[in-house]
């Protein structure tokens, strides 16, 4: 039992790193899309983007108890030039804290830590929904975030891919039985939750390890960094092991202040889940 608990905590620690690595690797292909699975993982352009900053903001809010909207505004103002969408950028630069009804996938790409932090499926749904609703209060925006968080929580709890697939289909109405190659053949850039989150989950479901999950997500040819961040977070929860050649290279490209939040979150996960 102790070994199982330790393994779960280590996989939970990998979740945010899994999202960040997906973002860094996918950044090169966000606006220069590829349909080629064996693409080059890194080049001079590979960097962290808004996906990483927003993920860190949500994670820091969980650590500190600060409201999600306050943490998001604080962190995004510190890193204002990493590729935010226009409506979100206007929101975090303003004094307005009201949500703006977005159904974009920004709610889903930043939510990974809520699934790792939660002690129950209900808590994962609650935290992810609240983290989304501060900006993305459209039903699709909330659904996208909750589906990712629940997939992560279930993977950490030892659920099989089939169990994860069945639960997400039943709860959220996503069709996760679609063939990956058929999707890829006609898929294009799509920033909506409803048009990108199910595809990122499908990329994970057909994967064999962490690297194949992010490669499949990016090779769809869509919103590469966000879909790889989503697939990467779920894959990290499920597989646990992020290859060293990926993890080290990605984290070396991330600002030290952002990395410090990841390290503090490690301690929170140990305290929160270690005593159960």
């Amino acid at each position: 039992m102790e070994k199982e608990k330790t393994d779960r905590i280590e996989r939970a620690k990998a979740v945010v790193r899994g999202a960040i690595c997906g973002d860094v690797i996918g950044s090169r292909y966000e606006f220069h899309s590829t349909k080629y699975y064996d693409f080059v993982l890194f080049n001079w352009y590979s960097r962290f983007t808004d996906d990483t900053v927003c993920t860190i903001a949500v994670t820091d809010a969980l650590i500190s108890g600060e409201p999600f909207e306050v943490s998001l505004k604080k962190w995004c103002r510190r890193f204002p030039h990493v590729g935010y969408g226009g409506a979100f950028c206007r929101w975090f630069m303003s004094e307005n804290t009201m949500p703006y009804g977005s159904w974009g996938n920004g709610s889903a790409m930043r939510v990974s830590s809520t699934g790792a932090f939660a002690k129950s499926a209900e808590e994962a749904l609650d935290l992810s929904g609240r983290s989304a609703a501060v900006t993305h209060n459209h039903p699709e925006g909330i659904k996208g975030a909750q589906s990712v968080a629940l997939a992560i929580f279930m993977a950490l709890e030892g659920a099989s891919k089939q169990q994860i697939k069945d639960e997400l289909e039943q709860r959220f109405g996503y069709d996760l039985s679609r063939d990956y190659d058929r999707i890829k053949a006609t898929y294009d850039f799509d920033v909506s939750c409803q048009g990108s989150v199910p595809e990122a989950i499908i990329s994970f479901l057909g994967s064999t390890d962490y690297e194949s999950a992010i490669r499949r997500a990016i090779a769809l040819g869509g919103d590469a960094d966000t879909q790889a961040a989503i697939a990467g977070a779920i894959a990290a929860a499920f597989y646990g092991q992020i290859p060293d050649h990926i993890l080290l290279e990605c984290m070396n490209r991330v600002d030290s202040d952002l990395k410090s939040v990841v390290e503090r979150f490690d301690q929170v996960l140990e305290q929160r889940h270690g005593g159960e």
Side-chain angles (χ1 to χ4, degrees):
M1 183 62 70
E2 191 63 36
K3 184 178 183 300
E4 291 178 3
K5 184 188 298 184
T6 300
D7 174 69
R8 190 195 189 282
I9 292 172
E10 291 306 307
R11 286 186 291 114
K13 289 180 182 179
V15 166
V16 170
R17 291 174 174 86
I20 292 172
C21 290
D23 176 41
V24 171
I25 294 171
S27 64
R28 169 65 180 85
Y29 301 99
E30 181 180 13
F31 299 114
H32 301 85
S33 64
T34 182
K35 297 282 188 176
Y36 183 54
Y37 177 84
D38 293 319
F39 57 81
V40 175
L41 287 175
F42 302 102
N43 67 8
W44 62 271
Y45 187 78
S46 304
R47 62 187 179 91
F48 72 89
T49 77
D50 58 320
D51 298 58
T52 290
V53 176
C54 291
T55 295
I56 291 299
V58 170
T59 304
D60 194 31
L62 293 173
I63 294 170
S64 66
E66 192 172 48
F68 289 117
E69 64 271 24
V70 173
S71 190
L72 281 163
K73 284 178 176 284
K74 176 181 70 178
W75 281 100
C76 294
R77 288 173 180 177
R78 287 180 64 179
F79 298 91
H81 303 299
V82 290
Y84 306 100
F88 181 76
C89 188
R90 289 189 292 274
W91 176 84
F92 78 72
M93 292 301 293
S94 75
E95 297 307 311
N96 176 36
T97 58
M98 295 299 293
Y100 51 92
S102 177
W103 35 252
N105 56 20
S107 62
M109 58 80 158
R110 71 192 189 207
V111 79
S112 55
S113 55
T114 66
F117 182 84
K119 287 187 172 183
S120 67
E122 291 73 22
E123 187 177 26
L125 292 167
D126 175 62
L127 288 172
S128 58
R130 289 197 284 119
S131 76
V134 297
T135 51
H136 294 56
N137 58 327
H138 188 283
E140 291 291 348
I142 293 173
K143 184 166 76 170
Q146 288 183 323
S147 65
V148 175
L150 184 58
I152 289 167
F153 176 79
M154 291 183 67
L156 291 173
E157 288 291 292
S160 67
K161 289 182 180 178
Q162 187 64 50
Q163 288 171 321
I164 294 170
K165 174 181 176 293
D166 290 346
E167 179 63 24
L168 298 188
E169 286 186 324
Q170 180 177 358
R171 185 180 290 271
F172 300 107
Y174 289 153
D175 180 2
L176 303 178
S177 298
R178 290 173 293 148
D179 180 73
Y180 171 86
D181 290 323
R182 289 189 177 182
I183 296 171
K184 180 180 173 182
T186 59
Y187 194 71
D188 203 353
F189 194 84
D190 190 330
V191 299
S192 70
C193 272
Q194 56 270 38
S196 64
V197 172
E199 289 75 12
I201 296 170
I202 288 169
S203 296
F204 154 71
L205 290 172
S207 67
T208 56
D209 54 20
Y210 177 83
E211 183 172 342
S212 70
I214 58 172
R215 284 189 177 276
R216 284 166 60 86
I218 291 168
L220 284 172
D223 189 5
D225 58 337
T226 292
Q227 288 179 286
I230 292 169
I234 303 171
F238 188 84
Y239 298 114
Q241 185 64 40
I242 302 172
D244 287 343
H245 71 278
I246 289 178
L247 182 61
L248 295 175
E249 184 65 38
C250 288
M251 298 308 289
N252 281 339
R253 296 172 185 250
V254 175
D255 183 271
S256 59
D257 287 344
L258 299 173
K259 287 191 286 190
S260 70
V261 175
V262 179
E263 292 163 0
R264 286 191 287 120
F265 192 53
D266 289 346
Q267 298 171 6
V268 169
L269 291 173
E270 288 180 358
Q271 294 165 1
R272 186 169 172 80
H273 295 286
E276 296 177 349

